[in-house]
Amino acid sequence: MKNIFTKIVLALIAILAPAAAYASASHDGDDQSKQEGVDAQGIIFEHLGDAYGWEVPFNHHKRIPLPVIVWGSDGLHVFSSSRVTGGEVYRDGNAEFKIAGKDSPYKGKVVEIINGEEVKPAIDISITKNVCGIFIAVIVCVWCILSVARWHRTQGTKAPRKMVGAIEVIIMFIYDGVIKPTLKDKAPKFAPYLLTVFFFILIMNLLGLIVVFPGGANLTGNIAVTLVLSIITFIITNVFATKHYWKEIFNPEVPWWLKWPLPIMPLIEVFGMFTKPAALTVRLFANMMGGHMIVLVLTLLIFIFAAMGPVVTGATAVVSIIFSVFMLCIDVLVSFIQAYVFTMLSTIFISLSQEEGHEEHDKHKETPVVPQNP
């Protein structure tokens, strides 16, 4: 194992040293680049943010165009993002559109030019990189689940193998290990949503680690995506809640002076209803965003140290790539853990809303059968 690792390191040095030397020489020969340096912050936020096109690997000057759909001053406009990618002004009928520059308050957004001023369209429902990434994640998620269903429909109870078998193992792991022990007899009612949200988050996390199309979209690192998932859990938790759950919120069993004249405990319980989805949102968003940023920073070290000569740049490149690969492997594990944690917390929140009071619980107890003498 040690010999294999040494060979990999030497191969990386042999491959990257000439490239590092070229980068260093180019950097020294260009005074303007030497003064400006590498805009690490701009590169990081460009990769982590949304866009109207999909970056082509190893060539960020070209993008895979996506449709722009906006409602301008004179109605609906639909055109390809390639017409405005390079900062060009595109004229569609009597309206003119462009992507706002860095100095604009609408930076990176499609704006309409009216009387020489940039105006944000009333409605922008464009298929951006994140939106397209969500569509891809949905398709992959549906394919994964239907492949298991198709297998058992045709093969019966025969155990599946390969990819279908791995998916079924994950399904059973989440259902038997998280959903069923927590929700008990109500597990079949909420399992479809909980299993769907697990696979959806897991697929989005894994697609975000792929640098080429159809991956590369930072979906779970977008707080809007995690917020919507948390809101869905919030809605399911409260819509299907029992009477006992609402009683414990507005009239908890605490000393009367905690409820009157100041409703201290009811206010705390109502506040707790909204802190739960907030915790789900921030937990998933922060962990996935942090993982992506670490990998990008390690990769950018190669270009930051390009001005220090080929030897330093080559050594930095090797160390950066080794640590980047290591962090990507860790991110694969984190992708599963974060999907698991989101599903587990959603299951717990739903189970808390399904609790019944002592009276209701007694009603559901089975009446013991007393044997009668013949």
Side-chain angles (χ1 to χ4, degrees):
M1 186 70 182
K2 184 178 180 181
N3 293 332
I4 295 175
F5 180 77
T6 304
K7 291 179 181 179
I8 293 174
V9 172
L10 293 176
L12 288 172
I13 294 175
I15 294 172
L16 295 173
Y22 175 78
S24 178
S26 301
H27 187 84
D28 293 336
D30 190 352
D31 294 336
Q32 184 178 359
S33 298
K34 189 173 181 179
Q35 293 177 359
E36 294 180 357
V38 178
D39 184 12
Q41 181 179 357
I43 294 174
I44 290 174
F45 282 100
E46 180 183 358
H47 282 77
L48 297 179
D50 201 0
Y52 290 93
W54 215 297
E55 295 90 351
V56 176
F58 311 109
N59 189 349
H60 293 284
H61 299 289
K62 294 183 179 180
R63 294 174 180 263
I64 300 174
L66 296 172
V68 176
I69 307 172
V70 294
W71 188 275
S73 58
D74 59 345
L76 183 66
H77 296 269
V78 181
F79 54 90
S80 173
S81 62
S82 61
R83 301 182 180 274
V84 293
T85 298
E88 302 90 347
V89 176
Y90 172 66
R91 187 177 185 87
D92 187 17
N94 296 325
E96 294 182 339
F97 298 93
K98 63 175 291 189
I99 294 180
K102 297 181 179 180
D103 299 330
S104 174
Y106 311 112
K107 176 185 175 182
K109 301 293 183 180
V110 170
V111 294
E112 184 178 2
I113 302 176
I114 301 177
N115 298 326
E117 296 183 358
E118 297 179 354
V119 179
K120 187 178 180 180
I123 299 176
D124 186 352
I125 54 173
S126 304
I127 307 298
T128 61
K129 182 174 68 174
N130 283 351
V131 174
C132 185
I134 291 175
F135 289 158
I136 294 172
V138 169
I139 293 172
V140 175
C141 183
V142 172
W143 175 81
C144 289
I145 304 303
L146 291 184
S147 63
V148 178
R150 189 183 307 110
W151 171 272
H152 287 289
R153 187 170 58 251
T154 56
Q155 303 295 331
T157 58
K158 184 179 179 181
R161 297 184 179 182
K162 298 181 180 180
M163 181 63 70
V164 178
I167 296 172
E168 185 178 41
V169 168
I170 296 175
I171 292 174
M172 298 307 297
F173 173 74
I174 298 299
Y175 183 79
D176 294 337
V178 178
I179 300 175
K180 190 174 181 179
T182 306
L183 292 172
K184 296 180 176 59
D185 59 328
K186 295 186 179 180
K189 180 178 181 180
F190 299 99
Y193 165 71
L194 294 170
L195 288 171
T196 300
V197 78
F198 171 82
F199 277 97
F200 187 52
I201 294 175
L202 177 62
I203 291 170
M204 287 193 296
N205 291 345
L206 295 178
L207 286 176
L209 301 179
I210 304 174
V211 297
V212 297
F213 183 85
N218 184 32
L219 299 177
T220 47
N222 187 331
I223 196 169
V225 176
T226 59
L227 178 61
V228 170
L229 294 174
S230 301
I231 290 176
I232 295 175
T233 297
F234 174 79
I235 293 173
I236 292 176
T237 300
N238 292 280
V239 168
F240 296 98
T242 61
K243 295 180 180 179
H244 179 74
Y245 170 79
W246 291 110
K247 176 182 176 297
E248 288 297 318
I249 289 179
F250 295 106
N251 187 26
E253 295 180 1
V254 295
W256 65 268
W257 49 270
L258 291 176
K259 296 184 289 185
W260 188 88
L262 293 177
I264 299 176
M265 286 305 299
L267 288 177
I268 293 176
E269 293 293 340
V270 172
F271 182 73
M273 291 173 53
F274 297 96
T275 57
K276 293 173 183 176
L280 286 176
T281 301
V282 176
R283 182 188 296 272
L284 179 59
F285 160 73
N287 282 281
M288 299 312 301
M289 174 68 80
H292 288 295
M293 290 188 68
I294 291 174
V295 174
L296 288 173
V297 169
L298 289 172
T299 305
L300 286 173
L301 288 178
I302 301 172
F303 304 96
I304 293 174
F305 284 95
M308 301 181 68
V311 177
V312 176
T313 308
T316 305
V318 173
V319 174
S320 298
I321 289 179
I322 292 175
F323 275 99
S324 296
V325 172
F326 173 75
M327 285 304 304
L328 284 173
C329 294
I330 295 297
D331 280 343
V332 173
L333 178 61
V334 171
S335 298
F336 181 87
I337 292 175
Q338 291 305 315
Y340 178 84
V341 170
F342 190 98
T343 306
M344 180 183 65
L345 292 177
S346 297
T347 305
I348 293 174
F349 296 157
I350 292 174
S351 68
L352 293 175
S353 69
Q354 298 300 307
E355 290 185 354
E356 297 178 348
H358 297 292
E359 297 179 358
E360 290 82 357
H361 182 71
D362 293 337
K363 290 179 181 179
H364 289 84
K365 285 185 177 180
E366 296 182 359
T367 303
V369 178
V370 180
Q372 298 179 356
N373 294 325

